[in-house]
Amino acid sequence: MSIIVNPDLCTGCGQCVQICPGGLLSLTFSSERSGSRTENLSNAQLTQTVGPAEIKGQVRINNPDCCWACAACLKECRFGALSLFLPPALGGRGASLTASASKDSVVWQVLFPDGRQRTIAVNRQIADRY
Amino acid sequence: MKFEPAKLKTPPTIIKAEAIVVGGGAAGCLAAIKLAQSGYQVIVVEKADIRRSGCLAAGVNALNAYIGRGKVPQDYVDYALADAHGIARRDLLLSIAERLNEQAAWLESAGLPILKDQDGRYAERSWRNVKINGENIKPLMAAAVAKTQGLNVLNRCRATHLLSDGVTVYGVAAFSPENNLFYHLQAPATIIATGGAAGLYRPNNHGSAPNRIWYCPFNTGAGLAMGIRAGAEMTTLEMRLVALRCRDTLAPTGTLALGAGARQVNALGRPFEGDYGRTTSQRVLAWRRETEAGRGPCRLAAEISADRREELYRAYLNMCPSQTLKWLEQAGPEPRPESGIFAEVEGSEPYVQGGHVGGGFWIDTNRQTTLTGLWAVGDAAGGAPQKYVTGSMAEGVIAAEDAAQYLQDFGRPAVSQTDQGRPQQLFQEALTDLTAQLKPDQALAPGRPRLQARDLGLALEKTMDLYAGGISAGYRYSSSELVMAATMVAELANLADKLSASSLFELSEIWELKERLTVARSLIAHLESRKETRWPGFGEYSDYPQIDPEFECFVNSRLEDNELKVFRRPMTRNNTYEHHR
Ligand SMILES: Cc1cc2nc3c(=O)[nH]c(=O)nc-3n(C[C@H](O)[C@H](O)[C@H](O)COP(=O)(O)OP(=O)(O)OC[C@H]3O[C@@H](n4cnc5c(N)ncnc54)[C@H](O)[C@@H]3O)c2cc1C
Ligand code: SF4
Ligand code: SF4
């Protein structure tokens, strides 16, 4: 497990579903969320089959164990609904990482278990010194 | 019930192009762009989304292959040959080296930030290596692809078969679980750029994080497996990559070592770098020997100021965010004033790939494989270690130039006039192969265990780990262990053929397993055949613990009538190499 979704923030826009290099994410529909049915639909198909107005989906992590922790989905989500964490066996102690990406920067935020935060902004146009 | 191809809800989609590029990574993107710019219609088949796929999905930390100031391409060739303990192709290395700097310049023009010194030249991290902001490298390549005319990308579409009669390749079969479609892609030229193979060995992390590995876990050796099955020749698979990385996150170490000047020290605080030699394999060996001698844990430690540490955090966020998260979990929310940083190191599980080491397709200088109409580039191509991003891109360009020449000779009108029967028949065979395992209506037998792709995958990893020199075996293997590994992999392959899928998603899991099994089978045969220990950091053959000058040659293999033939090929000394068909 590496990625978690905040259901309050996820709008079901499907961007992360498209981007994940492992195809690990899919959308579920609100009408079906209570049940167990999951549709593995791409974004394009959703617009075709359901129509944008009706989409009240949420992201679902189908194979949480298969996550590579590449953080592509984090950077793709415009709503900050996804975060990355380290399982305890890898040194995780309850903190999580979110990202907010724009054309020029990625603003990363670490949320510690005690509620404190640390923000690190990375300018996308500047090369690393290392 | 057997699923008949004729009963597919939607008939397979047939797409004709002049060239197909399988895999839209570093090598594939450049091959596709170059071919399209030469005026050919190109289709890229990509199993993920090219904006974030393959090795580059998370970002990279530097351009690791570059010809620095005062150096010439031949220096690169000499370096890479020495690092590979002699087993590499000069012709391939030279043609890569001559184009590395072009690729860096291309990346810069595509928008990649590259650090400059006061004179406006690229700032070098070492003579082979320039500093960048590599977080966005894949989206930048994808944007360049999107801008190119005559180039179409099929995202979320995985190639499964080469349509080949064993001599010529007519295209590929593919399917897309997301679109619930099978594809018949036809073209006179096909370029394999699917990367290397992960998922062969039991990884460092178990439990809930098995895919937290260094190499891209979604590169499952598809191109290699397709090539092996079609009878293409493979080389040097036995030179497995064991990567020395940060413990737990498997984050790259170059940024710490080369960038921040960190040194490897053992538990006594003693630096041991160079004690065992300086090649990539010897560096991994150093960590192992120190650990085996009870002087672990070993770490990379840098004396850097608190400010520079913040920069290091940013650099890691640009390619492996887990490592920064790990450091911050240790350090806490407030910036610490004291200097210094470290990360413990460990060896990864072994991978088969041709980007750092030499495993992959056996190709000629123009990157043509031993099958007509098929090229291989990047991590899928063997014989030229140390190519990395820029070298993979260079190979994409070289293959595209040759494929363009081939297409020109082939004659454009001939594309539509080719005997349609042949590819069609080959595609039907591939489709039957795929749909035979698609049994949506099969009822589960209650109370009986159901074999699943995932569980067979774990069995494969365990087998390779124990009997083919994985982490648990201390990267050591013996002849009798390899016999065991071969037997068990064959058994697992039989079981994999019997798995049934109820959807194309399940079918793709089965297919990835089969790819890994196919590569594993060839890998074991290669390990067995190189009866020496040439790269002890990557693996030690217990029966043959020394380097043997007899093996100053390539170990190659080819599947003939379902029998794997392993043979040797002499070292090449020339600057060109042609296949003798
Ligand atoms: C974690 C990591 C960090 C690295 N850091 C650096 C670095 O800092 N500097 C450097 O120079 N090099 C670095 N490298 C090496 C470099 O990334 C690779 O050498 C390079 O990306 C290889 O290019 P490729 O096109 O062969 O493979 P990839 O870039 O991996 O592309 C392969 C593509 O094929 C697709 N594919 C796979 N199977 C199929 C299929 N069946 N059908 C269709 N598509 C398929 C994949 O989704 C992927 O898009 C790093 C590698 C890794 C893994
Ligand atoms: S997690 Fe973010 S990107 Fe993914 S569907 Fe929800 S809102 Fe969209
Ligand atoms: S971190 Fe990467 S692999 Fe994991 S779910 Fe997100 S995009 Fe997929």
Side-chain angles (χ1 to χ4, degrees):
Chain A
M1 280 253 284
S2 291
I3 294 289
I4 24 169
V5 194
N6 182 337
D8 297 338
L9 297 176
C10 175
T11 64
C13 73
Q15 291 302 319
C16 59
V17 177
Q18 284 285 331
I19 207 79
C20 173
L24 307 178
L25 310 172
S26 65
L27 290 178
T28 55
F29 300 104
S30 48
S31 55
E32 293 156 354
R33 222 180 296 150
S34 44
S36 59
R37 216 166 86 94
T38 302
E39 291 285 333
N40 289 296
L41 292 178
S42 69
N43 221 14
Q45 273 185 312
L46 272 177
T47 358
Q48 280 162 19
T49 53
V50 191
E54 290 165 59
I55 302 173
K56 288 198 197 71
Q58 280 228 315
V59 71
R60 195 188 116 109
I61 306 165
N62 293 319
N63 299 303
D65 292 0
C66 296
C67 177
W68 189 28
C70 72
C73 56
L74 259 68
K75 289 179 273 191
E76 198 68 9
C77 179
R78 285 172 290 133
F79 305 93
L82 292 169
S83 42
L84 179 105
F85 67 96
L86 289 170
L90 275 65
R93 298 295 179 260
S96 61
L97 182 71
T98 56
S100 158
S102 64
K103 189 173 163 288
D104 295 321
S105 70
V106 184
V107 180
W108 299 87
Q109 200 154 49
V110 181
L111 183 64
F112 289 88
D114 62 6
R116 284 191 293 173
Q117 296 185 358
R118 173 119 179 235
T119 303
I120 302 181
V122 182
N123 187 325
R124 276 184 150 162
Q125 311 302 338
I126 296 180
D128 296 331
R129 261 181 56 188
Y130 292 111
Chain B
M1 190 191 91
K2 194 161 175 295
F3 192 88
E4 302 289 341
K7 291 194 190 132
L8 287 172
K9 267 195 220 118
T10 330
T13 305
I14 302 178
I15 300 178
K16 290 180 190 168
E18 286 167 302
I20 298 163
V21 175
V22 188
C29 283
L30 268 286
I33 291 173
K34 187 78 195 172
L35 263 168
Q37 283 174 347
S38 311
Y40 294 100
Q41 286 163 11
V42 185
I43 299 277
V44 176
V45 198
E46 168 53 56
K47 88 185 223 188
D49 181 310
I50 69 159
R51 289 174 300 156
R52 290 275 179 195
S53 62
C55 292
L56 305 178
V60 291
N61 63 315
L63 300 180
N64 283 341
Y66 183 79
I67 310 294
R69 235 159 288 162
K71 296 284 179 176
V72 292
Q74 187 60 39
D75 294 322
Y76 204 89
V77 177
D78 296 341
Y79 159 75
L81 252 172
D83 195 78
H85 296 251
I87 308 301
R89 286 256 304 273
R90 290 161 208 272
D91 61 314
L92 297 177
L93 289 170
L94 185 66
S95 56
I96 286 172
E98 283 166 344
R99 289 162 182 259
L100 289 173
N101 294 16
E102 270 167 44
Q103 302 312 318
W106 183 90
L107 283 166
E108 192 181 24
S109 70
L112 188 82
I114 304 185
L115 195 70
K116 302 268 180 60
D117 59 19
Q118 290 109 330
D119 317 331
R121 290 183 298 196
Y122 295 160
E124 293 168 14
R125 195 163 84 168
S126 81
W127 71 265
R128 302 185 302 273
N129 199 298
V130 293
K131 301 177 186 185
I132 59 173
N133 182 334
E135 183 272 319
N136 217 19
I137 188 167
K138 200 70 219 291
L140 290 171
M141 283 182 184
V145 165
K147 273 201 298 217
T148 308
Q149 297 256 319
L151 201 173
N152 286 298
V153 181
L154 282 176
N155 280 319
R156 299 274 167 223
C157 182
R158 65 182 59 234
T160 55
H161 295 73
L162 288 173
L163 304 179
S164 168
D165 52 15
V167 179
T168 306
V169 172
Y170 301 94
V172 299
F175 68 91
S176 169
E178 283 81 357
N179 298 324
N180 211 17
L181 279 179
F182 289 94
Y183 293 86
H184 175 185
L185 304 168
Q186 262 181 44
T190 300
I191 299 181
I192 295 287
T194 45
L200 304 176
Y201 285 85
R202 189 148 54 183
N204 297 71
N205 294 312
H206 305 223
S208 66
N211 265 0
R212 290 232 166 167
I213 61 179
W214 170 75
Y215 200 66
C216 175
F218 314 121
N219 284 357
T220 45
L224 298 176
M226 288 191 279
I228 292 168
R229 279 189 258 116
E233 189 171 327
M234 298 288 147
T235 190
T236 324
L237 305 182
E238 73 283 4
M239 184 187 189
R240 314 168 306 170
L241 175 65
V242 171
L244 194 65
R245 295 295 179 260
C246 299
R247 177 150 274 166
D248 298 332
T249 60
L250 277 298
T253 45
T255 305
L256 253 179
L258 288 172
R263 293 207 297 173
Q264 270 197 63
V265 292
N266 63 21
L268 312 171
R270 199 180 77 78
F272 57 85
E273 235 171 300
D275 288 6
Y276 303 82
R278 293 195 179 271
T279 65
T280 310
S281 146
Q282 288 165 338
R283 284 166 195 271
V284 184
L285 185 69
W287 157 76
R288 271 177 49 204
R289 292 287 187 259
E290 287 298 305
T291 311
E292 284 163 3
R295 293 190 289 271
C298 301
R299 38 168 71 175
L300 261 173
E303 269 316 308
I304 53 173
S305 69
D307 284 352
R308 298 200 71 190
R309 192 173 52 221
E310 295 290 312
E311 284 185 48
L312 201 62
Y313 289 162
R314 284 198 282 274
Y316 271 90
L317 285 169
N318 281 338
M319 51 139 168
C320 185
S322 298
Q323 184 59 36
T324 303
L325 180 59
K326 186 176 164 78
W327 275 324
L328 288 177
E329 289 230 46
Q330 286 160 357
E334 307 305 332
R336 285 179 302 125
E338 70 275 15
S339 62
I341 192 155
F342 74 88
E344 198 186 320
V345 292
E346 67 179 331
S348 71
E349 83 276 22
Y351 309 109
V352 168
Q353 50 103 291
H356 289 58
V357 289
F361 277 86
W362 180 250
I363 48 180
D364 68 12
T365 310
N366 297 323
R367 272 60 183 176
Q368 257 212 64
T369 68
T370 50
L371 300 179
T372 303
L374 187 74
W375 288 257
V377 290
D379 280 18
Q386 312 260 355
K387 59 179 89 131
Y388 305 105
V389 178
T390 37
S392 299
M393 293 165 62
E395 283 202 321
V397 173
I398 295 167
E401 286 172 358
D402 192 53
Q405 187 63 49
Y406 174 84
L407 287 168
Q408 201 183 336
D409 298 347
F410 197 88
R412 279 175 176 236
V415 177
S416 47
Q417 283 162 20
T418 39
D419 170 21
Q420 286 302 307
R422 203 67 200 267
Q424 191 56 37
Q425 182 205 335
L426 290 164
F427 176 71
Q428 283 309 324
E429 284 168 23
L431 192 61
T432 306
D433 192 25
L434 286 164
T435 50
Q437 291 190 262
L438 198 55
K439 297 169 188 158
D441 305 328
Q442 195 176 55
L444 284 178
R448 302 267 313 278
R450 181 178 173 220
L451 283 184
Q452 298 200 49
R454 183 156 191 180
D455 297 323
L456 291 186
L458 290 171
L460 166 67
E461 290 178 1
K462 179 173 177 180
T463 299
M464 297 299 286
D465 184 47
L466 294 176
Y467 305 121
I471 298 170
S472 309
Y475 305 106
R476 288 186 182 85
Y477 50 89
S478 66
S479 304
S480 36
E481 285 168 338
L482 290 175
V483 170
M484 186 77 164
T487 312
M488 290 182 76
V489 166
E491 209 181 323
L492 292 170
N494 278 332
L495 289 171
D497 285 339
K498 298 198 186 81
L499 291 172
S500 59
S502 63
S503 69
L504 292 194
F505 283 98
E506 284 182 14
L507 190 63
S508 71
E509 280 174 25
I510 294 176
W511 224 261
E512 286 182 356
L513 168 70
K514 292 171 105 171
E515 288 159 2
R516 291 153 62 198
L517 285 161
T518 302
V519 177
R521 177 189 177 191
S522 291
L523 167 58
I524 295 165
H526 275 248
L527 287 170
E528 198 277 324
S529 300
R530 184 175 281 285
K531 297 188 189 317
E532 63 160 358
T533 295
R534 184 162 293 256
W535 311 283
F538 301 155
E540 289 178 82
Y541 203 155
S542 316
D543 312 83
Y544 310 97
Q546 306 295 333
I547 273 202
D548 180 348
E550 276 273 293
F551 280 93
E552 194 95 353
C553 63
F554 293 100
V555 171
N556 286 11
S557 64
R558 191 171 50 233
L559 198 63
E560 283 173 21
D561 301 325
N562 204 27
E563 203 190 315
L564 205 53
K565 297 254 159 60
V566 188
F567 46 95
R568 299 188 202 177
R569 285 208 185 263
M571 291 307 296
T572 55
R573 307 264 169 228
N574 299 337
N575 286 343
T576 54
Y577 175 85
E578 278 177 47
H579 296 308
H580 295 284
R581 290 209 170 87

